[in-house]
Amino acid sequence: MNILVCDDDKEILDAIKIYLDNEGYKVFKAANGLEALEIIGEKEIHLIIMDIMMPKMDGLRATMKIREDKNIPVIMLSAKSEDTDKIMGLNMGADDYITKPFNPLELIARVKSQLRRYTTLGSLETRSNVFKTGGLMLDDESKIVTVDGEAVKLTPVQYKILKLLTANAGRVYSIDEIYEKVWKEPAVSPENTVAVHIRKIREKIEINPKEPKYLKVVWGIGYKVEKL
Amino acid sequence: MNILVCDDDKEILDAIKIYLDNEGYKVFKAANGLEALEIIGEKEIHLIIMDIMMPKMDGLRATMKIREDKNIPVIMLSAKSEDTDKIMGLNMGADDYITKPFNPLELIARVKSQLRRYTTLGSLETRSNVFKTGGLMLDDESKIVTVDGEAVKLTPVQYKILKLLTANAGRVYSIDEIYEKVWKEPAVSPENTVAVHIRKIREKIEINPKEPKYLKVVWGIGYKVEKL
DNA sequence: ATAAATCTTAATATTTTCTTAATGTTAATA
DNA sequence: TATTAACATTAAGAAAATATTAAGATTTAT
């Protein structure tokens, strides 16, 4: 299991690494949020321990950024212990929270607790980022999409659109929003390539594209994948 | 989302139910571990909030039992706050831990944090913009409007008008005010498009549009959504 | 380099929504 | 109770948004 520890305080970084090494985890270190994002892009990280206060990019922002397309558990570290900070951290997408100074045993316990959800009994197999709603499921690790267990083959753009909508099932995205998130550039009108892709996706994941069960349109607002 | 709350203290049970109800979760109650296991067998439960100290079967044993074949996130509740208990709870398979007495906001935050991986993560905008009054509820994220749990489909303009009035339930808005806020331009008379939209909204959210329960008119002044 | 797959564009169709305008109804008040 | 101003109702045409299709451009794989 690979754990990324992100803190600008080198001493704490080293201390945590020692505790985790001792438990048999492979530990990567980052001094700030940007470094963390880089490492996450390169290595397969299973858990992140992240300080909130850091230069360059703080832990909360980094967590938000990570959560945009990865489902890696995050444990927040902070010197503050007030409720408001705790709540903010958890709402930003953190999975757990530890205040400094921390008890090494508690750190280990929380690490294990978070990793437990992603290991299957018996093996140390990592879990993949699976997004599902109803009979629709996409596995971000393998890029496999299934509908009621049946695999469907999506093209890259189709996959990105469906992932965005499924990862945030229930939320409505305007066409422009979709364009921006997927193409990473602002949409310029006239714009109907998204509509074309939506059609193609529907052809593949819906029984009847005209009466979509998953990929719905909200007139005048945009598209969403139904939260089922 | 269905949440099972398990505690032998009826007061705490009811208090938690109120907090969670208010956030739009469906709440099931159990007085001990055995009852909890029963309900889990019957209903689809997405999260469990469990007290550690209970008669019949305590929370730790129940959690272990649940973890034998289900992977439902568990948040532990306990009066004790010593580190050892905390660690034990987490090692037993709990995903999070709250000590009594607890801050309701923190409870909600931790619940959301655990459930996020079910609804699946994504953007930071997890704050659910939900406006409700009586049986009327609108969720700004999914653009879903429900009346007594029944979904109704509003058009964009209809939605905007109803959102304005519901978000400020009780306040009366003149027709011109509504026009300005929704169309973002001053109203020019003769103007009756707002009235037409009001009618359409009433058709959708009211049992009897002629005797509206939610969307009322205040003669000579304007419209409001009743604060219930 | 070529073929296959994928993406975008553009033209057109279809669906849904919005506004207008004509007319009806209600509530306050003199 | 007659008057009037404000709201209600309806239907139809205009406008806006999405859907669809096919062809051409681009990218990817072999």
Side-chain angles (χ1 to χ4, degrees):
Chain A
M1 289 302 229
N2 301 334
I3 299 178
L4 172 63
V5 185
C6 186
D7 198 320
D8 58 316
D9 183 331
K10 203 168 174 323
E11 278 188 44
I12 292 183
L13 213 53
D14 289 336
I16 294 178
K17 180 169 161 54
I18 289 168
Y19 300 137
L20 296 177
D21 277 344
N22 212 40
E23 293 288 320
Y25 298 113
K26 189 163 171 70
V27 179
F28 295 87
K29 297 191 285 189
N32 59 60
L34 288 178
E35 267 188 51
L37 288 175
E38 235 171 74
I39 293 171
I40 289 161
E42 295 163 7
K43 313 283 182 182
E44 193 192 350
I45 300 296
H46 304 105
L47 171 70
I48 300 165
I49 297 174
M50 168 116 53
D51 192 22
I52 286 190
M53 308 264 278
M54 282 183 301
K56 293 272 172 73
M57 183 188 275
D58 70 78
L60 292 178
R61 293 192 64 77
T63 299
M64 283 170 12
K65 202 84 185 145
I66 291 162
R67 278 299 155 76
E68 275 176 17
D69 58 32
K70 297 252 184 179
N71 196 12
I72 305 172
V74 174
I75 296 177
M76 286 284 201
L77 259 185
S78 169
K80 308 178 198 169
S81 67
E82 295 121 61
D83 267 352
T84 51
D85 290 315
K86 208 176 250 185
I87 291 166
M88 171 163 273
L90 289 170
N91 269 338
M92 285 302 201
D95 296 277
D96 204 348
Y97 195 98
I98 301 178
T99 53
K100 292 191 276 194
F102 54 83
N103 173 342
L105 285 177
E106 182 176 348
L107 175 72
I108 299 299
R110 287 185 185 272
V111 164
K112 282 186 180 164
S113 164
Q114 289 303 326
L115 287 176
R116 182 161 23 240
R117 347 182 88 283
Y118 306 118
T119 59
T120 50
L121 280 173
S123 75
L124 276 188
E125 197 180 307
T126 71
R127 91 165 207 301
S128 45
N129 282 307
V130 289
F131 305 109
K132 59 192 278 193
T133 175
L136 174 66
M137 170 170 144
L138 41 191
D139 182 339
D140 202 43
E141 219 64 45
S142 59
K143 265 56 179 173
I144 285 173
V145 178
T146 57
V147 178
D148 297 330
E150 203 82 15
V152 299
K153 215 182 121 205
L154 297 187
T155 68
V157 173
Q158 288 164 16
Y159 180 84
K160 283 182 197 161
I161 293 174
L162 190 60
K163 176 185 161 187
L164 172 68
L165 297 179
T166 309
N168 300 282
R171 165 160 176 195
V172 182
Y173 284 85
S174 74
I175 288 178
D176 286 355
E177 264 182 294
I178 293 172
Y179 194 94
E180 280 167 26
K181 300 257 185 196
V182 171
W183 278 262
K184 299 195 187 305
E185 58 183 74
V188 286
S189 46
E191 204 300 302
N192 96 318
T193 182
V194 170
V196 174
H197 286 297
I198 292 283
R199 177 77 216 302
K200 297 294 189 174
I201 296 169
R202 281 177 174 159
E203 275 175 9
K204 291 176 179 177
I205 69 169
E206 303 285 2
I207 313 276
N208 177 3
K210 305 254 185 183
E211 282 182 26
K213 174 181 169 192
Y214 298 110
L215 212 178
K216 305 233 179 183
V217 60
V218 181
W219 267 84
I221 303 182
Y223 299 99
K224 70 171 172 181
V225 161
E226 206 71 277
K227 189 188 281 181
L228 297 171
Chain B
M1 285 307 208
N2 302 334
I3 300 178
L4 172 64
V5 185
C6 187
D7 198 318
D8 57 317
D9 183 332
K10 204 172 173 320
E11 277 188 48
I12 291 183
L13 212 53
D14 289 334
I16 294 178
K17 180 170 162 54
I18 289 168
Y19 299 138
L20 296 178
D21 276 343
N22 214 40
E23 291 290 318
Y25 298 112
K26 191 164 172 67
V27 178
F28 296 89
K29 297 192 283 188
N32 58 60
L34 287 178
E35 267 188 51
L37 287 175
E38 234 170 73
I39 293 172
I40 289 163
E42 295 162 7
K43 313 282 182 180
E44 193 192 351
I45 299 295
H46 303 105
L47 171 70
I48 301 164
I49 297 174
M50 168 118 50
D51 191 23
I52 285 190
M53 306 267 279
M54 281 183 302
K56 294 272 172 72
M57 184 189 274
D58 70 75
L60 292 179
R61 294 192 63 79
T63 299
M64 280 169 27
K65 202 85 184 146
I66 291 161
R67 278 299 154 75
E68 277 175 15
D69 57 31
K70 298 242 185 185
N71 193 21
I72 306 172
V74 176
I75 296 177
M76 287 285 199
L77 261 184
S78 168
K80 308 179 198 169
S81 68
E82 296 118 59
D83 264 351
T84 51
D85 289 317
K86 211 175 244 181
I87 291 167
M88 175 162 271
L90 289 171
N91 270 337
M92 284 301 202
D95 296 278
D96 206 347
Y97 194 99
I98 301 178
T99 53
K100 293 191 275 193
F102 54 84
N103 174 343
L105 286 176
E106 183 176 346
L107 174 73
I108 299 300
R110 288 187 183 270
V111 164
K112 282 186 179 163
S113 164
Q114 290 301 327
L115 285 177
R116 198 167 357 247
R117 51 182 70 277
Y118 264 83
T119 58
T120 319
L121 349 163
S123 49
L124 49 152
E125 299 147 61
T126 319
R127 67 194 172 114
S128 54
N129 283 320
V130 179
F131 307 107
K132 60 190 276 194
T133 175
L136 175 65
M137 172 168 143
L138 47 207
D139 182 339
D140 203 43
E141 188 175 289
S142 59
K143 264 59 182 176
I144 285 174
V145 178
T146 56
V147 179
D148 296 329
E150 203 81 17
V152 299
K153 218 180 112 201
L154 297 187
T155 70
V157 173
Q158 288 164 16
Y159 182 85
K160 284 181 198 161
I161 293 175
L162 189 60
K163 176 182 161 187
L164 172 68
L165 298 179
T166 308
N168 302 282
R171 169 165 172 196
V172 183
Y173 284 85
S174 74
I175 288 179
D176 284 358
E177 260 184 297
I178 292 173
Y179 195 95
E180 280 167 26
K181 300 255 185 198
V182 171
W183 277 262
K184 298 192 189 304
E185 57 183 73
V188 286
S189 43
E191 204 299 303
N192 96 317
T193 182
V194 170
V196 174
H197 284 114
I198 292 284
R199 177 75 217 302
K200 297 294 189 168
I201 295 170
R202 282 178 173 157
E203 274 175 10
K204 291 176 179 176
I205 69 169
E206 304 285 2
I207 312 276
N208 177 4
K210 306 254 185 183
E211 282 182 25
K213 175 181 168 193
Y214 299 109
L215 213 178
K216 307 233 177 180
V217 60
V218 182
W219 267 82
I221 303 184
Y223 299 98
K224 70 167 174 182
V225 160
E226 206 71 273
K227 186 187 278 176
L228 297 171

